[in-house]
Amino acid sequence: MAARNPGMKLDLEWISKVRVNTQAVLKRAQQIQGQKTPKKQWQAAWLLKAVTCIDLTTLAGDDTPSNVHRLCLKAIQPVRYDLLRKMDMHDKGITTAAVCVYPSRVADAVKSLKAANSSLPVASVATGFPAGQTPLETRLQEVRMAVADGATEIDIVINRTLALTGQWEAMYDEIRQFREACGDAHMKTILAIGELGTFTNVYKASMVAMMAGSDFIKTSTGKEAVNATYPVAIVMVRAIRDYLLCTGHKVGFKPAGGIRTAQESLVWLTLIKEELGNDWLCPHLFRLGASSLLADIERQIYHHVTGQYAAYHELPMA
Amino acid sequence: MAGSTNKTVYDIFQSMENGPAATSSTATAQAWLDHHSHSLGLFIDGKFVRPADRQTRSLADSKGGNVCNTVCAVQDDVSQCASSAVSGYKAWSGLSCYNRAKVLLRLVSVLGQHSKCVSELCELCEASCSPSSLVRLLQYYSSWAQLRDTLITSWTPLGVVAVVVSDDCSLYSLMLKVVPALAMGNSVIVVPGRSTAPPALLLAQLFVSAGLPAGALNVLTGSDMSLGAKVAQNPSISYVTYSGNKQDGVMLCKAAAGMGVPISVSPCIGATCPIIIFESADIDSAVDGVLETAFKKKKEVNWVLCVQENVLERVVARLKLRMAGMTCVGLASDADRVQVDAAVQEAQQQGATLVQSCAAPPSGALYPPTVLCGAAPSSSFVVSPAPGPLLPLMTFRSNTEAVTLGNHSPHGLAASIWTEDLTLALETAKSLSVGSVWVNSHSVSDPCMPVSGHKDSGTCTDGGQEGLYQFLHSSCSSSPPLPRSSPVSMDYTKFGTAASPAIIPDDSDAASAPKSYLQFVGGKACKSESGCTVAVQPPGGGSVLAYCPDGGRKDVRNAVEAAIKVQPSWMKKSPSARAQSLYSLAKGLEAKRRDIAVSINVQTGLSMDEAEKEVDLSSARLNDWAAYCDKVQGGTLPVPQSGSALSLPEALGVVGLVLPDKNALLSMVTLLGAAVATGNAVIMVPSEKNPLPVLAFVQVLQSSDLPAGLVNVISGSRDQLTVALANHSVIKAIWYWGSAEGCQYLQHTCTSPLKTLRLFCQEERDGGKDWTQSHPSLLEEMWRNAVQWKSVWIPTA
């Protein structure tokens, strides 16, 4: 795996020059959505790729050890073994990329995975998820505790107040501190794009997050009114490309929220392939934050293998 | 991708390649072709006809398989078709506006039922055209069909219109001519190109099933452009309009010169168009735009990428990243590949560096998308672009230089500009001399946008309300301006070279020596460059009334130099400032009422009373034009996409006027006013027979506040001056009253660059136009001839 993004000094001049033409981005998004998605074995392969990029997530108030346990075991065997076997993919290590839970459930997840002899990473949201409206000290502490419980990936949320009021320096400093608190755990920075107002702000926030050393930038918490949309993603991946051109560091991208169908996951892969290239089509640089998506993908794979449409109960639940 | 279907899921999982392109079914279109045994007839009088013993032309699909054969029509078919079109015109123009609109709307639903067949056939013939764009076209023009008599009063259809297109023209461009022509009540004979022939025939059939009267739309297929000329030759045809590549258009113009039929040309294929990326652009979006449009398999325009110097690196870096995954683009033939290789090699020899998606395969009719960095306007691959996915990239320093670079081309079809700076966008859009400007976008078209190709890119306006007028004439203007005839065989190099007759008056009485007039060039009254004069004789001849300068090429050259110096600033002046200048010109004419009336009296023998009446009418006419200055305006257009679309009327530039003999003064001010009010500069050639009133008007011009050089008067031999006007590339339009031979000369000669011609043969009937009439539609016809339209498209979210 390539070196992590070390971040860089905050370059406010760069941030101030950002220009995004909204309609052109919308048009590009339409164009990507209009492209033909792969069929037949190409579709199956792409869907399996999508599976390996999923952060299988449960972020609910009623999460308990038992449903977290189910989630973990589904993450290890995301697609029915016999189906994988028919495609000769049973021994290719097809698991989801990670499981993603609230900080208090990290220990449960780590325990379940360990029991199942899996090294699958556990990701935890942190820093006052989803609103980020808690004091900095408690947000930092939250990160440290999740890491201590065994989370190796931390999804932090940015302070939207700072972003909306243009206090990029303060935001940069906060994220820097989060990164420090993460230690070796990878940091995914959630921009909560639904609350940033404009594409230009999304671009700027992406840039600041990367300069502050994020390993991934992530669209949304799944709790805002607007979640992962293709146009916003285009703006964010352009920022990633821009950052790569200037620093040589590859930062990952994670859309999350509202991604439910296999078809959508194919469009996401197409978008990444078109905008960033094949390098990004791996769990190190691309994640899909989702919970119900996996079930639909598994049904599509079932259809590919058997030619039949599966009932939901035919496939193991998460 | 041989054997790609054997790829295992794991292979693909690792490579994450795209699957093979899905081959869409063409079964419905094939069924239609099967029904016609893959051999399509001509579409005449509402049905397919298959005359015996005709040659056929075969159409192959992209893989070389035969799609179908079409008939090559001969003279008999043209005649049969023309007479059907005449009766079709009677039936169609006899319907009410409402009923015509209804037919167009019914076609929309018929298209809906058969959209699969239409789109598949288009795909099969590689004449791609989405049924939805045809639907939009029909809906837009059906509303004009409905409201023709309400909103376009006092205009009548022309009759039978021929729409001719080249082999490479798209179906949409073809229909952009056909639908408005039909909407206005004309009948149409379509002469499609190779690839548009089958879909055009299918559409004609669908039109008839939608209720179009038989004969209102006929389709004649042929083997090449010569069929277009054969159709133009038919005396029932009132107007020929052409769309496609420039060369075929020129061929058609030359072949049809002297047939007495007006021809307009929209060379929408093959123009060079700039994409301008300013430093203030959203560069990522601009690069997306470039990649989307520049490397199409079917290359309709030759894009040139112009990038502001200080963002060059950013643009090139993004091009490199984004192009990395692109696959090779298919070329038409192996011969094209040879040309592409040669062009790239030459570019590299001139120091150009390549940005390529992948290395070019050693051979075969395909090539990777390639940007040629370090191009210059003088690079041969910019001047004469090669086929294939090549995109020259050059740099500019400042905003003004971007406009200069964009305008420095014989073409004027379209430009795409990228900036987030609104002021810069609008300023650039106004300064670019092109028909369409796309701000932060590209290739947007909608039937409601009027577009006239500027410079060498066209002689008529297509689209919008403005695009209707090529298919209409003022109900008040007399019957067709040109008499139908066969082209005479003439030596074009000899035209206008005859020496002017030397007339030396018999009586050498110094006291009554004829007056010598001066011409008017660059704001100065002067002699001709040659210093020679010609004698002006009274009606009936005999004596000599006066001497006027014998102007020639050099005088025209001087006048054009003076005119282009002032025309842009005249165009930029506010309409009300132009109006004030014209009002004062009218006033100046009133002040010299007596002098000018005398010149009319002397020249024509008209009584002083009547002469003064003509002068009064002339000042009234100038006042009319002054008042029109701020009435000729564009506006915002109701495009279906979100954003703002502007249409702007622009002056043609420098217009040459070869003035009529009749009502020498009144006709002159009428034409001068139309041209100058709309922002043009003019070079006027007074009637050879009756030049004195116009030459007397020079004193009015001299004391006017029109900028020096805006209006020029050059007297002398009409033919000689016509040749001089025709051979000056700066002159964009010529309005000509003269001989049939002169008309033929102009049609034949004014093709490179294209000039907009308004030709009137004044030999036929005594007089022709009645200049004393000032019906609004007559004046409208004139000012519409004096402007070209630009549409500016500014999309917003």
Side-chain angles (χ1 to χ4, degrees), chain B residues 554-577:
Chain B
K554 296 257 164 76
D555 300 280
V556 168
R557 178 202 65 193
N558 294 347
V560 172
E561 292 303 316
I564 49 171
K565 264 193 204 128
V566 295
Q567 190 271 329
S569 57
W570 175 249
M571 176 70 216
K572 270 205 192 112
K573 268 195 176 178
S574 72
S576 64

Side-chain angles (χ1 to χ4, degrees), chain B residues 461-481:
Chain B
T461 303
D462 295 314
Q465 179 185 357
E466 288 69 24
L468 295 171
Y469 292 92
Q470 60 176 316
F471 304 110
L472 294 168
H473 66 88
S474 163
S475 316
C476 303
S477 62
S478 43
S479 49

Side-chain angles (χ1 to χ4, degrees), chain B residues 585-601:
Chain B
L585 188 66
K587 225 181 210 167
L589 179 57
E590 278 160 37
K592 301 273 182 196
R593 181 169 184 256
R594 183 86 200 156
D595 286 5
I596 310 275
V598 167
S599 76
I600 297 175
N601 164 270

Side-chain angles (χ1 to χ4, degrees), chain B residues 555-557 559-560 563-564 567 651-660 667-668 670-676 678-687 694 709-714 718 720-738 742 746 750 754-760 771 782 785-787:
Chain B
D555 300 280
V556 168
R557 178 202 65 193
V560 172
I564 49 171
Q567 190 271 329
L652 297 168
V654 182
V655 179
L657 302 179
V658 181
L659 296 167
S667 61
M668 182 271 292
T670 308
L671 297 166
L672 165 82
V676 170
T678 46
N680 297 283
V682 293
I683 293 165
M684 303 197 288
V685 175
S687 145
V694 176
L710 190 73
V711 178
N712 303 279
V713 179
I714 299 174
R718 183 180 68 199
Q720 183 179 313
L721 287 165
T722 301
V723 171
L725 292 173
N727 288 295
H728 202 304
S729 295
V730 169
I731 295 173
K732 170 67 188 168
I734 296 178
W735 302 350
Y736 176 86
W737 274 261
L746 286 171
C750 298
L754 289 166
K755 292 190 195 335
T756 309
L757 299 176
R758 303 293 156 192
L759 306 174
F760 301 86
W771 293 97
M782 272 178 241
N785 285 340
V787 298

Side-chain angles (χ1 to χ4, degrees), chain A residues 19-24 26 28 41-42 45-46 48-49 52 89 92 238 241-242 245 273-274 278, chain B residues 4-5 7 9-10 12-13 15-20 280 282 284-285 288 318 321-322 420 440 795:
Chain A
R19 290 165 194 279
V20 184
N21 188 280
T22 312
Q23 64 82 25
L26 295 177
R28 171 76 178 140
Q41 67 257 52
W42 284 269
W46 279 50
L48 286 174
K49 180 62 82 179
T52 62
M89 290 296 286
K92 303 296 188 303
R238 280 180 181 177
R241 196 164 62 201
D242 216 0
L245 283 172
K273 185 179 167 74
E274 285 259 320
N278 283 358
Chain B
S4 64
T5 44
K7 288 250 163 79
V9 171
Y10 187 57
I12 303 163
F13 180 80
S15 67
M16 283 303 284
E17 67 194 50
N18 287 312
S280 48
D282 169 357
D284 289 293
S285 293
D288 277 347
R318 277 160 188 75
L321 275 183
R322 287 278 282 108
E420 294 300 296
N440 294 326

Side-chain angles (χ1 to χ4, degrees), chain B residues 318-389:
Chain B
R318 277 160 188 75
L319 280 172
K320 278 183 184 154
L321 275 183
R322 287 278 282 108
M323 282 169 68
M326 295 175 80
T327 49
C328 287
V329 177
L331 303 174
S333 62
D334 287 326
D336 275 7
R337 174 61 197 264
V338 174
Q339 280 192 56
V340 173
D341 281 333
V344 171
Q345 200 180 7
E346 199 179 347
Q348 282 178 305
Q349 275 165 4
Q350 291 172 4
T353 51
L354 308 186
V355 177
Q356 262 178 341
S357 63
C358 53
S363 64
L366 73 173
Y367 204 79
T370 302
V371 178
L372 303 161
C373 303
S378 56
S379 309
S380 54
F381 53 94
V382 176
V383 177
S384 43

Side-chain angles (χ1 to χ4, degrees), chain B residues 371-409:
Chain B
V371 178
L372 303 161
C373 303
S378 56
S379 309
S380 54
F381 53 94
V382 176
V383 177
S384 43
L390 304 183
L391 176 68
L393 184 155
M394 40 195 173
T395 53
F396 61 88
R397 294 168 295 176
S398 63
N399 299 344
T400 28
E401 195 173 57
V403 171
T404 315
L405 200 59
N407 279 340
H408 209 90
S409 146

